[in-house]
Amino acid sequence: MTPYPSRRSAVALLALCAMAACSSSTGGPVAASPQPDPGGGPAAAARARADSARYPYTDADVRFMSAMIGHHSQALVMAAWAPDNGANSSVRTLAERIINGQQDEIVTMQHWLRDRGKPVPQPSRTGMTTHGSHHPMPMPGMLTEDQLRQLRQARGGEFDRLFLTSMIEHHRGAVSMVKELFGTPGAARDETVFKFANDISVDQSTEVARMERMLATLPSAEPSQ
Amino acid sequence: MVPNPLRSLSLAVGLLSAVACARSTSNSSGDGASPRGDMSTRAPSPDPRVGLRAGKMDAQEAIWNLRVVSKTPPAPQFVDVTNSDLAFTGNYAIQGNYNGWQVWDISNPRQPSLKTAYVCPASQSDVSVYQNLLFVSGENLAARLDCGEQGVQDTVSTDRLRGIRIFDITDIANPKNVGNVQTCRGSHTHTVLVDPKDKENVYVYISGSSQVRPVGELADCISAPQDPNSALFRIEVIKVPLANPERAAIVSSPRIFQGLVRPPEHGEAPEDIAAAEKEVAEAKAAGRFTATVQGKEQVVPDEFSGPMLDSLVQARGGTGAPTAADSATLRQTLPSIVEAMEKAHQAQMPDSNAGPTQCHDITIYPAMGLAGGACGGYGLLLDIRNPTQPTRIGAVSDSNFSYWHSATFNNDATKILFSDEWGGGGQPKCRATDKPEWGANAIFTLQNRKEMKFQSYYKMPAAQTQEENCVAHNGSLIPIPGRDVMVQAWYQGGISVFDWTDARNPREIAFFDRGPVDSTRMGNGGSWSVYWYNGVMVSSEISRGLDIFELVPSGFISQNEIDAAKSVKLDYLNTQGQPKFVWPKSYSLARAYVDQLERSKALDAGRITEIRATLARAEKGSAAETRDALTELVARLEGDVSGAEDSAKVRMLAGVVRNLGEETKFASRR
C-alpha cells in the first residue's frame, strides 16, 4: 500500500482522460460560458447570476461538476455494500459517513448545474457512469466493472481490505480531478465551484489518511497490491 | 523477555484493534438529554427552532435567553456576496466579505453605522487587526493584488494575490494597502500572534488549505508531497515590522506535523466509552488481562493471552495449566510487549509527510504560550513561546471527526474545544438523521500543558432542515467569571450559547435561529461567526448582514454574571488570538460568585442571604461602614472555605471581597 504506484496510475488515467473525453479542457483558455440558460426558472437564473456574477464559470467547471456526480455515485454504490458484506464496524461507520457526505454533495452539484441550465446527471445505481454515451468515461480512481464485481462478492475481512484500498484510490482520484480543475485556465473562479472543489480535496485527503490508518490496523494485514 | 507466541506482532495488534473496532459501534440514541441539577430551568419544548418559516430578510425567528439588539443588512456593494469572519478594534467591528470588508461603528449597538465599505475581492477575507494594521486573507484564484474586480484568468499570473493583504487603518475611513505577502497555498485563515516579549513586530500564522500554486507564479512552491521542500505539510509564519509593515515577509515554515503518528483515538460516543470502561473493569475483576492499545485500555482476548501463558509454562520447563505466577509474569510484561508491537507497527507506517498537509485554523493563546491547531484529521497542541518556531506538544484524533476546523481554550487553559466542519460548511449536517457526534465540537481536558483527554461532544441540538447548511463553526468565550461559557455560530443552525464548565456534560443555555434562507433548496446564509466583544455578541450573517445580541438573565445566567462579563473591556479582539480575560474587581463580580454558589448549593441559603446583605451594606455605606462590612465578610468567607462544597469558588469570592476592601482602605487614606 505504498502511495506512489497508485498515484502514478491516477496520473496515467488522467492522461487517458485528457486524450479522450476531456480533450477540450486543455490547450488555451476556455471561453467563459454565455449567460446562464434560464431553464431553471427566473429565480434559479438570478441565483446563478449572483453566484457567477464576477467570475463566469467555464466549460471545465461544468464538466467537473457533472463528472463528479458520476464519481461520487460509484462511491455510494461501494459504501452501500458495507453492511451486507460483513464489514467491520469501523468500516461500516466510514461507509455511513461517505454515503451521508457524498449524497449531500451530489445535491449541491445538481443544484449548481440546474441553476445554469445544464444537463443534470442522476447518480448511477450500478456505479458505472456513461456520461451521455454507452462507453464508460474513465475517471481517476474509479473502479472497473470487474473490480466492482470483485468488491460486491467480497465478504468480511476481505471486503474491508478491498473496500479500503479501492476507496483510497477512488478518493485520490477525486483529489486529482480537483487538481486538474485548478490547473485549467479560467476554471474554479466561480465561488461555489472553488469552495466545493476545495472542500472535496481537503475532506477526501483527510479521509484517505484515515483509511490508510484503518487499513494498517486490519487483522493480519498483508501488503495488498 | 518476549514470549514466543508473539512472533506475529502485527497479527496480535490486528486482533486487539479488531476487538476495539467491534466495540466502537455507536448506538446514537438522540441527545441523551438528562436535565441535571439545574433548578427551575428547562429548555423550551418542543424546540421552537424546528419548523421555522423560510425567508431571506423576513424568516421566522426563535430566540431563548437572548435579545436581538440590532439586525443590519450589508452595504450595497456586499449584498448577495458571502460575509465571513469578524475582528474588532475600539468601537469598530470589521466584517470580512468575499467582495472585501466592511467596517461597522458599533458604539451604539442598537444602530451600527457603516464606516467603510472596502471593495477588494478575495475569499475568505478572514480579518484580523493589530494597532493600526488590518490583515485580510486571500485564497481563491480570482483575487488580485490591485483589488480589481475583473478576476485573474491565467493559471500563472503576477496579478494574483493568494496570501495576506496588509492595510494601514490609522484613518479607518481611508485604509491604505501597505503590503502583501504571497504564500504557496494562499491563506484560508490566519492568526495574528502578539509576542509579549517583542514590541516591534507582530507575527501572522498562515493556514492555507487550497492547491499549491505553480512555481512559475511563486518561486519555491513545490506541490510534490515527496519533495522535502514541499509546500504541503507546513504552515507559514510571517513577521510584520510594525514600523515598516511593507517589509512583512515569511520568516519560517514550520513543519509542525513531522513525525506525527496516530494519536490515541477514542472514536466513540460517551455511552460507548462508558460501556467500554465498564467492560474493562469487569474483565479486570474477573482476572482477565488488559492492555493499553492506541491509548485505550482494552481487554486482551483469550485467544491472545492463552498461547502467551502456555509459552510461559513451556519457558519454565513446566507442563499443564498456567499458574498464578505465570499470570503475574504476563501481567507485568504485557505493557512492554504491547509497546513493542505498537512501535513495530508504527515503523511500518509511511513516515515523513504522512500527517495532514495543512491546518485549517490555529487559535493561539499567547498568555499561556499555547496554540490549538485544527489540522486535517488532527487536533494539535503547540508550544508558541518562540513565535517563529511553534512546536507540537500534543495531538488528538477522533474517528467521529471529519475535518478539524478550529480550537478554543477555556480561560484557564485547562480545557480545549475543537470543532469539526464536517461537509465544509456548505452541507446540512444538523438534520434529525445526522449523528449528534458528527459535525460537532469535541471537548478535551488539558493537563500539564500537553495531555488532552476527550470528555464529550457538543452539537447544537435542534434539528434543522435539508435546506440549511449547518455544522460547528466559529465562536468565542463569554467572560462569565468562574464558568466556561461559549457562544458559537452554526451557519443556518443559528447561534448557540452553551456552558462547558462540566466538560463531560456541556449544555445549551441560550439560542437564536432563523428559518432557512430558501424553503426550496440550500441557500447561502447563516451565521459564519459570532463573538462576544465588550458586552455584546456580534454575528456575521453570511447573507443577512450583521446581527448583535445581548444575554438576558435566566435560570442559567444571572444579571450579576452578565454585569461581571460586561466589565471585561478589550481594546481589540481577534478571536483566534485568544485573550486572557481578567475581571476588574467589582460588586457585580462578587455577586456573580455568590449567585453561582447559590446555584450549585455550595453554601446554604441562609449564608447566601447574609452575604448578599453584607455586600449591599458595604456598597451603600460610608467609607468606614464599607471597610468594616468587607473586613467582616472576608473573615466569614475564610471560615466558610473549609466546609463549602466548592471551596475554590468561595476562595475566589473572598479574594474579590478582599480586593474591594483594599480599595476602600486605599481610597480612605487619600
Side-chain angles (χ1 to χ4, degrees), chain A residues 3-224:
Chain A
Y4 307 127
S6 47
R7 198 163 278 135
R8 272 199 295 277
S9 66
V11 169
L13 272 168
L14 259 180
L16 189 64
C17 173
M19 282 189 303
C22 319
S23 58
S24 64
S25 75
T26 52
V30 174
S33 300
Q35 278 302 300
D37 175 344
R47 275 192 296 267
R49 251 197 311 280
D51 198 36
S52 298
R54 198 173 4 263
Y55 315 121
Y57 60 91
T58 63
D59 292 346
D61 294 323
V62 175
R63 263 199 310 279
F64 174 82
M65 294 300 249
S66 310
M68 196 57 88
I69 291 175
H71 203 269
H72 273 34
S73 64
Q74 189 178 66
L76 294 183
V77 166
M78 293 161 68
W81 291 334
D84 290 343
N85 287 25
N88 77 34
S89 80
S90 59
V91 170
R92 280 205 312 272
T93 304
L94 171 79
E96 209 185 322
R97 294 180 72 99
I98 288 173
I99 291 171
N100 188 315
Q102 302 208 3
Q103 245 166 9
D104 288 344
E105 288 175 357
I106 287 175
V107 172
T108 302
M109 292 183 275
Q110 291 178 325
H111 276 148
W112 189 90
L113 290 164
R114 192 171 296 127
D115 288 351
R116 285 154 186 81
K118 303 293 173 193
V120 180
Q122 294 304 310
S124 141
R125 275 179 298 168
T126 61
M128 296 311 294
T129 169
T130 54
H131 199 67
S133 79
H134 294 295
H135 302 289
M137 187 175 105
M139 275 191 278
M142 278 191 72
L143 276 64
T144 62
E145 265 178 89
D146 278 352
Q147 288 170 317
L148 269 184
R149 196 171 308 117
Q150 228 186 324
L151 181 65
R152 179 78 187 93
Q153 285 160 3
R155 291 291 180 277
E158 193 201 340
F159 177 84
D160 292 342
R161 190 159 29 261
L162 203 51
F163 178 81
L164 291 172
T165 44
S166 328
M167 195 58 89
I168 287 171
E169 285 314 300
H170 198 268
H171 276 33
R172 285 201 180 118
V175 171
S176 74
M177 285 164 75
V178 173
K179 200 169 178 187
E180 195 213 359
L181 175 77
F182 281 17
T184 306
R189 307 300 193 266
D190 174 281
E191 255 170 40
T192 303
V193 174
F194 177 81
K195 179 177 163 37
F196 181 75
N198 230 19
D199 286 346
I200 285 185
S201 178
V202 295
D203 284 357
Q204 300 210 8
S205 302
T206 305
E207 214 155 63
V208 164
R210 178 193 302 279
M211 289 190 285
E212 281 177 337
R213 296 193 313 238
M214 288 169 70
L215 192 60
T217 53
L218 280 183
S220 62
E222 297 150 12
S224 53

Side-chain angles (χ1 to χ4, degrees), chain A residues 4 47 54-55 89 97 100 104 108 115 179 182 186 189 191 194-195 198 206 210 213 216-217, chain B residues 17 21 24 99 149 152-153 160 210-211 265 345 378 399-402 424 427 429 431 434 518 521:
Chain A
Y4 307 127
R47 275 192 296 267
R54 198 173 4 263
Y55 315 121
S89 80
R97 294 180 72 99
N100 188 315
D104 288 344
T108 302
D115 288 351
K179 200 169 178 187
F182 281 17
R189 307 300 193 266
E191 255 170 40
F194 177 81
K195 179 177 163 37
N198 230 19
T206 305
R210 178 193 302 279
R213 296 193 313 238
T217 53
Chain B
S17 49
C21 295
S24 72
N99 208 11
E149 296 179 75
V152 183
Q153 283 300 309
R160 182 172 284 122
S210 187
Q211 303 289 313
E265 197 170 286
H345 190 66
Y378 297 85
S399 59
N400 283 317
F401 262 39
S402 163
Q427 305 296 344
K429 300 305 186 190
R431 293 158 297 197
D434 294 315
D518 186 328
R521 52 165 282 155

